[in-house]
Amino acid sequence: EGADSCYKCTSCDTSCPVAEVDDEFPGPKFQGPEQWRLKRKDDHDIDESITSCSNCMRCDEACPSSVPLSQMHNEARGQFVEEQMEKLSVEYIRNRILANYRTSARLASLTPRLATVAMNFGPIRVAMDKLLGIPSERDFPEFATTTFREWWRDRGGAKVTNPEKRVAYFHGCYSNYNTPEVGKAMVRVYEHFGYEVVAPEQKCSGTPMFANGMLDDARRHAETNVSSMSELVDEGYHAIASCTSCSMALRQEYPELFDIDGIDKVAENTFEAVEYLRIHEDLKGEVQAADVDGELAEEFAYHAPCHSRNQGLDRQAVELFRDLDGVEVEDVGDSCSGISGTYGWKAEKYDYSMAIGEEMFEEMEAAGGETGLTECPTCAMQMEHGTGYDVRHPLELLEAALVEG
């Protein structure tokens, strides 16, 4: 049905950052409607080029006919991996490791300092490049010595009880294992507004699994997430994510790809963290009355992640912080960062990833400040990798303005 709505205008192809730099990639129109029609034939395999789609989902936003392109890509990629990909191939093993980052990060968190050093040790990085195709040019992120959930447990959980204002925090893998400061900022900002915050049982959102065609893995994680979140929604909570890819997964990809009891209810009650406060509180008024000094009193180069654009959130940070004293936020344009989660962590895609990100790098370097700002952890990796800038999350800036200011 969705494929029949396509009238071949090619808006999706012209919006695709991968098609712009990779001449062998046929583009979203082929990967979506055309391949969808072809795969209805029993004897027609999925074209291998589906694995070159980065799952940035810009094609969804570009399509004037609302063809569910990313859903088609996810389903086709899942079918290709399940039925056609050699399970003992280096590519499959590499992709499975990347897709299941939560497993690697959980193990690394047992000895975080050692893991950080070991993962970035020169000979190990070269070996990973040669044996697994994980590019040695990239630096693995630092693992936190105290995870967000450990911090949450040690503080005794919620500090505010309020039956009228309740949120369930979906922190995701990265804020738990790598940047717990983002999760802490989220909790403190929400408690500043009088919210009761809970951190329910959860697994990975599934975003890297979707991008690598590991739909069975994604479903197992989604079942846990939907089960815990749907129960809380019934109790009056809303689901809040600090990562725009996580909120996109719960909102859009879950109901598109899975039939799990409670999934629509969770999707309808999921919000990105700053978005939710803009809807339910006078966030702009509080920010206008605040000021920032100290470490975060500076100029920021803001990049809107592709998955924030799909949710209509690409301008919110620039608009929100425009009148914050002590801070200047400059939008560095609408280009893709190029990393797209695990896409830029594959050796054969690394050069394409950097070519896609070149426009963003140039805009960042032309901006006034030397600190990046974004909601997406892998975009933050790419921003730092391409410019050397430190990168922060908007929630950290909100914490500095409203809680510490």
Side-chain angles (χ1 to χ4, degrees):
E1 182 179 346
D4 294 337
S5 298
C6 172
Y7 56 87
K8 302 181 180 181
C9 69
T10 72
S11 292
C12 58
D13 288 343
T14 57
S15 73
C16 176
V18 175
E20 186 174 350
V21 299
D22 183 354
D23 292 338
E24 296 183 1
F25 183 63
K29 182 165 66 68
F30 173 79
Q31 301 298 352
E34 293 179 13
Q35 185 137 252
W36 188 266
R37 296 186 187 103
L38 289 172
K39 75 173 185 169
R40 290 177 180 173
K41 302 177 181 179
D42 293 338
D43 61 343
H44 198 282
D45 287 338
I46 301 295
D47 192 87
E48 186 177 4
S49 62
I50 190 64
T51 61
S52 292
C53 167
S54 69
N55 201 38
C56 71
M57 302 171 75
R58 282 179 168 247
C59 49
D60 282 350
E61 183 185 18
C63 180
S65 299
S66 300
V67 175
L69 289 155
S70 65
Q71 178 184 356
M72 293 178 175
H73 300 161
N74 278 329
E75 292 179 353
R77 187 163 43 242
Q79 183 177 338
F80 175 83
V81 170
E82 177 66 23
E83 299 177 3
Q84 298 170 231
M85 200 173 205
E86 173 55 55
K87 302 305 183 291
L88 295 179
S89 67
V90 170
E91 182 181 8
Y92 178 84
I93 294 169
R94 186 269 316 272
N95 290 359
R96 194 167 181 85
I97 292 171
L98 292 174
N100 286 275
Y101 176 74
R102 181 178 182 270
T103 300
S104 303
R106 188 174 63 228
L107 293 173
S109 70
L110 299 175
T111 55
R113 291 188 177 91
L114 176 61
T116 299
V117 172
M119 296 287 277
N120 289 292
F121 182 53
I124 292 178
R125 296 297 296 111
V126 171
M128 293 176 74
D129 194 326
K130 299 297 184 184
L131 297 176
L132 289 173
I134 297 176
S136 58
E137 293 90 343
R138 292 208 180 272
D139 296 322
F140 276 92
E142 182 177 349
F143 294 98
T145 55
T146 302
T147 67
F148 170 78
R149 294 199 75 90
E150 289 169 344
W151 171 83
W152 178 257
R153 177 200 63 205
D154 293 345
R155 87 190 291 252
K159 297 299 185 184
V160 173
T161 301
N162 187 344
E164 301 301 319
K165 300 171 74 172
R166 291 173 156 184
V167 295
Y169 179 33
F170 190 90
H171 48 70
C173 306
Y174 205 80
S175 287
N176 186 37
Y177 294 111
N178 299 97
T179 55
E181 60 272 15
V182 173
K184 295 175 187 178
M186 184 275 173
V187 171
R188 290 167 179 154
V189 168
Y190 269 72
E191 288 182 343
H192 168 80
F193 283 101
Y195 283 88
E196 179 180 335
V197 181
V198 296
E201 179 189 6
Q202 58 192 265
K203 293 185 177 180
C204 178
S205 69
T207 297
M209 300 167 193
F210 298 142
N212 287 282
M214 311 289 180
L215 296 189
D216 288 343
D217 289 356
R219 183 184 179 89
R220 285 192 292 271
H221 288 247
E223 286 172 346
T224 296
N225 298 334
V226 171
S227 175
S228 61
M229 286 292 181
S230 63
E231 290 179 6
L232 289 166
V233 168
D234 287 339
E235 295 174 22
Y237 289 83
H238 289 112
I240 306 298
S242 51
C243 168
T244 47
S245 293
C246 291
S247 60
M248 173 63 77
L250 270 65
R251 273 175 149 168
Q252 178 175 324
E253 289 167 304
Y254 278 18
E256 285 181 344
L257 297 171
F258 306 129
D259 182 16
I260 301 172
D261 186 43
I263 204 165
D264 291 329
K265 179 169 49 182
V266 171
E268 292 165 4
N269 287 278
T270 294
F271 300 84
E272 188 274 333
V274 177
E275 172 198 22
Y276 187 82
L277 291 177
R278 293 183 75 201
I279 294 170
H280 294 278
E281 306 293 336
D282 182 19
L283 185 59
K284 188 170 183 64
E286 289 230 13
V287 168
Q288 288 175 335
D291 60 68
V292 173
D293 55 21
E295 181 185 359
L296 289 184
E298 52 188 307
E299 297 179 56
F300 292 88
Y302 172 71
H303 167 73
C306 295
H307 290 173
S308 75
R309 296 180 184 281
N310 283 72
Q311 297 170 82
L313 307 176
D314 48 304
R315 290 288 301 171
Q316 74 170 4
V318 175
E319 294 170 355
L320 178 61
F321 296 123
R322 180 180 292 142
D323 300 319
L324 177 58
D325 287 344
V327 166
E328 289 187 26
V329 176
E330 184 173 341
D331 192 338
V332 296
D334 63 358
S335 63
C336 176
S337 75
I339 194 168
S340 291
T342 63
Y343 176 85
W345 278 92
K346 300 172 182 178
E348 70 274 17
K349 306 300 183 190
Y350 175 77
D351 288 341
Y352 295 138
S353 169
M354 295 303 288
I356 293 169
E358 185 60 35
E359 181 179 343
M360 181 190 71
F361 303 146
E362 292 175 355
E363 292 289 344
M364 286 182 68
E365 290 170 352
E370 294 187 359
T371 301
L373 188 71
T374 191
E375 296 91 344
C376 174
T378 54
C379 287
M381 289 183 202
Q382 181 83 328
M383 295 164 78
E384 183 177 353
H385 183 62
T387 64
Y389 290 5
D390 185 28
V391 182
R392 310 302 286 263
H393 191 287
L395 283 169
E396 295 179 86
L397 191 49
L398 274 180
E399 180 187 28
L402 304 181
V403 182
E404 299 172 359

